[in-house]
Amino acid sequence: MALKTESMVLNMGPQHPSTHGVLRLELELEGELVLNVKPHLGYLHRCFEKHAEAMQYNQVVPYTDRLDYLASIGNNFGYALAVEKLLGIQVPERVEYIRVIMAELQRIASHQVALGSNGADIGALTPFLYLFRDREHILSIIEETCGARMLYNYIWVGGLSHDIHPDFVRKTKEFVNHFKPTIVELDKLLSYNKIFIERTANIGVLPLDTAINFGASGPTLRGSGIKFDLRRDDSYSIYDRFDFDIPVGKGLQGTVGDCWDRYYVRVREMEQSLRIIEQAIDQIPEGNVQSAIPKRIKPPKGTVYTRIENPRGELGYFIISDGNTNPFRVKVRAPSFVNLEVLGELCKGYLVADIIAILGSIDIVLGEVDR
Amino acid sequence: MKNAEEIFEILKRQFDDAIIGIDKDTPTEPIINVDPLQIHKVGAYLRETDELKFDSLMCLSGVDDANGTKVKDAEGYEFIQGGTLSVYYNLHSVELKHKITLKVSTPREDAKVESVENVWKTADWHEREAYDLVGIVFLNHPDLRRILMPYDWADGSHPLRKDYKNPEFYQGMKVPY
């Protein structure tokens, strides 16, 4: 007679260090084997979209900081681009260059947290400390210019809140030179570490067609082996002027689209961001960064959807204007929200401990999932 | 790569009555209006056809159009009667790199839209969000629950409605603002 078995339901979170915030997962298990994962969200919900409707267009910018709080510059950037498209204004060259450099610095800082915490979650604590040490450089560089370390309120509709600090160019160059060798160090310490590879290769494999159907974007999508990056494929700002590669998952340690691939795409992306910064930093033209900021923002009636490549993927703003000074509707297409949707699919058939590695490799920020 | 008008012509030929019109009077992209009860068929066609290949749903947004009449109830509280709720679909083709915006409108008092979860899996959570915050019911959705608000939030209370009123109490606790 066969032994009768029953699956077990286990609760994970919301207070759990590896959920990167307050996320509750309802696991259905058969022993250690995961049958199903059901995420429960909303613990950080503060209805950003309702707040935005009560604000004037320029007042929304500080609220966007708090969506993906590890990549605030990107959030400001996307929002500013959307409103500028609605208004039909062109910003000065100097603003474009500073925006791109800031966004790429922010991308590196964001990936440093992602990679560090991915490693720390599954037992590699040292790289986490090294990466946070280097992230400190970026935060100080940005702090010197706009006075904040995390929630910058830096990119405004039509311009920037401050011009760059006189030391900005020198310090950014210093950082680039300092950080290049540390990527090599990171590779030795974590990327090609036998234990790390054992924990991440062939785990949480995401096939390409599933990724597209689930709307995955950013490193989560590129880890599955497609060269799709909005900076090149739906180019915005001045990204078409720079030369950079788009790293994709190749299955070097296992299968294409596994956790290691998603991890490795982020490492290589940091190098490409350094390349963009190196090209842009010497070309910043002179100019006034506030000359194009409109005194009163009152766009014509209409809708706009713009998207940018944030560190976590496609950040979209869908804005409806009814011709007033307040937006009629702002919907944020948050990359983490959409990427998290695929988690249930990814975890099926793996072990409980693998969920931590998979969640780390998707790299979510709950501020943006719950909005 | 096709522009919005070409896509509109193709759809009009394929689904005569399901395609209501094209709105070109927008500052950015034109919007194709679709029948809310046939949107899943239009979606499946857009995804499967070789010349269109809209394999990615970038964004799905529920909107309260607030185009009804404002009525005051006995307590002097103003709410909206009549008018429509809308859903916007922003589609994109990874291979062909073209984009299109679809829009469906449904009556406010009986807001029902066919789910496109079968066509694009990503619509699952987006539709739950539109149900949760705007109160649009998606027919044939596999798991239509609230997603961002608490599961026990009062029935029929949807924060992104333009006439939403903050509740005084939640589960017996005073809401402080």
Side-chain angles (χ1 to χ4, degrees):
Chain A
M1 200 180 82
L3 208 62
K4 191 170 169 264
T5 58
E6 223 172 67
S7 64
M8 180 175 73
V9 176
L10 188 73
N11 186 55
M12 193 187 218
Q15 309 296 341
H16 192 282
S18 305
T19 51
H20 297 237
V22 275
L23 167 72
R24 183 159 78 90
L25 300 175
E26 190 185 317
L27 314 179
E28 200 189 329
L29 306 173
E30 200 177 276
E32 277 284 302
L33 199 72
V34 180
L35 299 179
N36 205 356
V37 177
K38 244 192 201 174
H40 295 272
L41 334 170
Y43 292 88
L44 273 181
H45 181 56
R46 56 241 185 246
C47 221
F48 159 78
E49 294 168 4
K50 190 78 178 173
H51 279 295
E53 287 172 14
M55 301 285 155
Q56 293 177 2
Y57 281 93
N58 50 349
Q59 291 173 324
V60 178
V61 177
Y63 285 85
T64 63
D65 278 336
R66 282 134 182 97
L67 296 169
D68 180 351
Y69 43 76
L70 294 176
S72 299
I73 295 267
N75 302 338
N76 296 168
F77 199 177
Y79 178 77
L81 282 177
V83 181
E84 281 159 15
K85 196 171 167 194
L86 210 51
L87 288 165
I89 50 177
Q90 185 68 41
V91 298
E93 285 276 286
R94 183 176 177 82
V95 174
E96 297 275 28
Y97 274 93
I98 297 173
R99 281 180 177 184
V100 165
I101 293 168
M102 285 292 188
E104 292 310 314
L105 281 173
Q106 181 78 93
R107 188 183 314 277
I108 296 172
S110 170
H111 281 347
Q112 282 168 333
V113 178
L115 300 172
S117 52
N118 191 0
D121 282 351
I122 50 184
L125 195 65
T126 316
F128 177 79
L129 300 172
Y130 281 21
L131 285 163
F132 267 63
R133 177 198 65 196
D134 296 331
R135 176 168 175 262
E136 204 61 25
H137 284 233
I138 299 181
L139 297 190
S140 330
I141 290 172
I142 304 181
E143 184 186 11
E144 222 169 32
T145 287
C146 72
R149 291 168 57 80
M150 234 175 132
L151 307 164
Y152 308 109
N153 184 15
Y154 184 60
I155 296 180
W156 287 357
V157 177
L160 304 167
S161 72
H162 301 78
D163 202 346
I164 47 173
H165 190 271
D167 282 346
F168 179 80
V169 174
R170 180 179 61 81
K171 287 202 170 165
T172 306
K173 282 181 179 167
E174 266 174 28
F175 168 75
V176 171
N177 291 332
H178 162 80
F179 190 53
K180 268 187 190 163
T182 41
I183 295 182
V184 181
E185 199 179 60
L186 174 71
D187 274 341
K188 284 184 193 157
L189 203 56
L190 189 60
S191 311
Y192 301 119
N193 181 315
K194 181 89 168 85
I195 305 168
F196 184 71
I197 290 172
E198 288 288 325
R199 285 298 306 272
T200 53
N202 289 320
I203 300 291
V205 178
L206 178 63
L208 182 58
D209 50 342
T210 315
I212 293 176
N213 203 245
F214 270 91
S217 53
T220 310
L221 175 66
R222 289 192 285 276
S224 298
I226 185 173
K227 272 201 179 190
F228 185 79
D229 188 315
L230 296 172
R231 288 174 292 173
R232 198 196 64 185
D233 288 282
D234 194 5
S235 191
Y236 55 93
S237 192
I238 50 164
Y239 275 107
D240 49 354
R241 297 185 196 170
F242 304 114
D243 198 22
F244 61 97
D245 295 330
I246 299 167
V248 293
K250 296 195 180 93
L252 290 179
Q253 306 292 341
T255 323
V256 177
D258 59 10
C259 287
W260 192 85
D261 269 356
R262 286 191 285 277
Y263 162 88
Y264 199 61
V265 163
R266 289 197 180 88
V267 179
R268 300 279 77 90
E269 261 182 36
M270 295 202 296
E271 285 177 347
Q272 299 306 319
S273 292
L274 289 178
R275 258 178 87 184
I276 296 175
I277 295 171
E278 275 183 324
Q279 291 169 56
I281 197 82
D282 286 325
Q283 296 181 39
I284 305 177
E286 289 300 314
N288 182 349
V289 297
Q290 299 202 324
S291 60
I293 295 180
K295 288 248 155 30
R296 186 153 169 269
I297 303 176
K298 207 175 167 188
K301 272 189 184 182
T303 63
V304 66
Y305 180 77
T306 50
R307 47 186 194 157
I308 66 159
E309 184 72 36
N310 225 26
R312 282 164 192 79
E314 172 182 338
L315 173 71
Y317 283 94
F318 179 74
I319 300 179
I320 300 182
S321 154
D322 61 348
N324 269 321
T325 49
N326 294 7
F328 183 76
R329 172 88 165 91
V330 180
K331 152 101 184 180
V332 184
R333 186 256 195 233
S336 302
F337 179 77
V338 182
N339 288 349
L340 185 59
E341 225 177 317
V342 84
L343 180 75
E345 207 65 25
L346 280 183
C347 291
K348 269 177 207 165
Y350 295 99
L351 304 181
V352 177
D354 295 333
I355 295 177
I356 306 301
I358 294 171
L359 196 61
S361 78
I362 302 178
D363 181 26
I364 52 163
V365 165
L366 266 298
E368 153 177 273
V369 174
D370 293 341
R371 279 160 289 153
Chain B
M1 196 160 172
K2 296 202 179 315
N3 67 26
E5 278 154 52
E6 286 165 348
I7 295 166
F8 174 69
E9 288 305 321
I10 294 172
L11 288 178
K12 192 79 193 161
R13 240 179 290 135
Q14 185 71 23
F15 303 92
D16 187 28
D17 56 330
I19 308 298
I20 295 163
I22 180 166
D23 182 7
K24 279 186 256 182
D25 191 25
T26 56
T28 50
E29 309 93 5
I31 297 172
I32 298 179
N33 288 299
V34 183
D35 179 4
L37 298 180
Q38 299 191 53
I39 179 72
H40 59 304
K41 289 184 215 156
V42 176
Y45 180 77
L46 284 170
R47 193 172 92 96
E48 303 301 336
T49 313
D50 281 344
E51 54 177 345
L52 299 170
K53 275 197 186 151
F54 282 102
D55 48 5
S56 133
L57 175 70
M58 294 187 286
C59 186
L60 185 156
S61 337
V63 179
D64 180 1
D65 295 322
N67 49 4
T69 45
K70 283 183 180 157
V71 190
K72 274 191 182 165
D73 66 4
E75 287 159 32
Y77 164 66
E78 204 174 65
F79 66 97
I80 301 172
Q81 208 169 43
T84 53
L85 303 176
S86 297
V87 182
Y88 289 79
Y89 303 82
N90 297 89
L91 305 178
H92 170 245
S93 166
V94 172
E95 195 184 317
L96 303 172
K97 296 195 192 329
H98 49 207
K99 290 189 234 172
I100 188 73
T101 310
L102 305 180
K103 177 188 176 185
V104 303
S105 293
T106 168
R108 188 188 186 86
E109 270 73 37
D110 184 30
K112 288 200 170 78
V113 178
E114 276 289 341
S115 168
V116 292
E117 191 266 347
N118 273 332
V119 187
W120 301 284
K121 278 267 179 266
T122 175
D124 183 354
W125 284 15
H126 281 296
E127 285 179 348
R128 277 177 68 188
E129 191 191 322
Y131 163 72
D132 187 3
L133 301 181
V134 192
I136 298 165
V137 175
F138 289 89
L139 304 170
N140 300 321
H141 187 283
D143 183 25
L144 197 65
R145 289 174 296 142
R146 287 189 182 271
I147 184 165
L148 294 175
M149 302 295 284
Y151 295 128
D152 54 3
W153 197 253
D155 278 347
S157 171
H158 303 289
L160 280 185
R161 290 258 180 124
K162 291 283 178 184
D163 57 357
Y164 173 75
K165 196 181 158 203
N166 277 326
E168 223 171 303
F169 289 94
Y170 167 64
Q171 301 297 324
M173 292 177 283
K174 185 124 178 61
V175 179
Y177 43 83

